[in-house]
Amino acid sequence: MSGATGMRAGRGRVRAGTTESPAVRWALIGLALVFMFFFLVLPLAAVATEALRKGWGAYVEALKEPDAWSAIELTLIVAAISVPLNLVFGVAAAWAIAKYEFKGKAFLTTLVDLPFAVSPVVAGLIYVLVFGAQGWLGPWLSEHNIKIIFAVPGIVLATVFVTFPFIARELIPLMQAQGTEEEQAAIVLGASGWQTFWHVTLPNIKWGLLYGVILCNARAMGEFGAVSVVSGHIRGQTNTMPLHVEVLYNEYQSVAAFAVASLLAVLALVTLVIKTVAEWRHEREMKALAELPPERPAPTA
């Protein structure tokens, strides 16, 4: 009886904490739906409508065009390179910041956040200053026939820079909240560093790591500013999908531009669906763990 009474009292406290009237709640919900319609649904519908304005055949031909296919391929290649690199860098940075105390820790945290504070265009200009023909390393690179700027390596470097914080910033607060007790226990029991990471740390951070990878991949495929500076806009060679959309639109090829833009929108929606499924599975796993009976203490001799 006391348990039931406590549950009823708890529910009463929850209801008492919600003071908004039904009219206010419905107004807020309606405002959110209107906002989503005008800023999310309507633009996506406009992109799809413009892409299919001349029919399905014209849409397919716009995507089959060699320059468009080259832009799609380059976008996927850049994402396939930059996301794994940021996966390694992000996990290493989060591990160092969350699990260890050392001099320069605040400075390292600031460096992780730097791409959030610096404009992507400025980041691209920095790479041009360092690796460009007239840059600090430009003459040496030219002597050794190494091309960074206006080539794929420069695009990868710029993409890695702007996407670096996503994985690290997703993992740092998660690792800090978990503490180091489990890792220390594993080491005391004789586990190696790799065994501790693989069997203790990674299972605890897998969902945060997945969220970070999803966000990193989405930004890598949609990056425009930094890539625009270092790519040189060479059609069929250094144009990614966002750059190709800009080129087509400036040439008044609106159907082709919106066709490629619609493909980017589809990739973004797929990313959103994957993130939603991951969050749903995470919540279900947490609910299952919460419903497990508490462990009984071992009997004493």
Side-chain angles (χ1 to χ4, degrees):
M1 290 293 292
S2 60
T5 303
M7 291 178 64
R8 286 195 294 270
R11 291 170 183 163
R13 285 194 296 270
V14 172
R15 290 195 187 98
T18 306
T19 58
E20 295 84 0
S21 64
V24 173
R25 289 198 296 270
W26 282 110
L28 292 174
I29 293 172
L31 182 63
L33 292 176
V34 169
F35 182 88
M36 290 180 62
F37 175 78
F38 280 103
F39 290 94
L40 180 62
V41 178
L42 193 60
L44 289 175
V47 169
T49 301
E50 287 296 321
L52 297 172
R53 184 160 52 89
K54 293 186 178 180
W56 180 255
Y59 177 85
V60 173
E61 287 299 320
L63 295 181
K64 289 171 59 178
E65 196 262 337
D67 290 342
W69 184 247
S70 175
I72 296 170
E73 184 179 6
L74 179 58
T75 301
L76 297 178
I77 290 173
V78 170
I81 297 174
S82 59
V83 173
L85 287 176
N86 276 330
L87 175 63
V88 175
F89 299 157
V91 171
W95 179 284
I97 292 171
K99 303 295 184 179
Y100 298 97
E101 293 295 333
F102 55 90
K103 292 183 178 180
K105 180 176 178 178
F107 180 68
L108 178 58
T109 305
T110 302
L111 289 180
V112 170
D113 293 334
L114 184 62
F116 285 145
V118 176
S119 169
V121 175
V122 174
L125 290 174
I126 292 172
Y127 282 111
V128 172
L129 176 63
V130 175
F131 300 109
Q134 306 301 322
W136 297 344
L137 302 179
W140 184 88
L141 293 173
S142 298
E143 290 176 3
H144 293 80
N145 198 26
I146 300 175
K147 197 168 185 181
I148 303 293
I149 302 302
F150 305 153
V152 175
I155 297 174
V156 172
L157 287 174
T159 304
V160 168
F161 177 84
V162 298
T163 57
F164 174 75
F166 288 95
I167 295 177
R169 264 297 158 198
E170 194 72 34
L171 294 180
I172 288 172
L174 179 60
M175 287 185 172
Q176 288 175 334
Q178 290 173 351
T180 60
E181 290 79 7
E182 294 186 14
E183 285 85 358
Q184 291 175 354
I187 292 173
V188 169
L189 292 174
S192 65
W194 175 251
Q195 289 173 329
T196 301
F197 174 77
W198 188 258
H199 296 287
V200 178
T201 303
L202 186 59
N204 290 334
I205 66 170
K206 62 181 181 180
W207 293 112
L209 184 62
L210 179 60
Y211 299 155
V213 168
I214 291 171
L215 294 174
C216 180
N217 182 70
R219 179 61 187 275
M221 291 191 297
E223 173 56 29
F224 179 84
V227 172
S228 177
V229 174
V230 302
S231 70
H233 293 270
I234 305 174
R235 298 186 65 161
Q237 297 183 32
T238 63
N239 268 352
T240 59
M241 292 172 67
L243 301 182
H244 189 60
V245 170
E246 182 197 31
V247 170
L248 292 175
Y249 191 79
N250 288 337
E251 294 178 351
Y252 303 101
Q253 301 182 45
S254 59
V255 172
F258 279 104
V260 179
S262 70
L263 186 57
L264 271 175
V266 169
L267 292 174
L269 291 176
V270 170
T271 301
L272 182 62
V273 169
I274 295 174
K275 183 175 182 293
T276 303
V277 172
E279 290 176 345
W280 173 73
R281 291 193 60 183
H282 184 206
E283 291 176 0
R284 190 174 66 170
E285 183 177 298
M286 292 297 100
K287 184 178 179 181
L289 290 175
E291 292 175 352
L292 290 176
E295 295 182 0
R296 295 183 179 180
T300 58

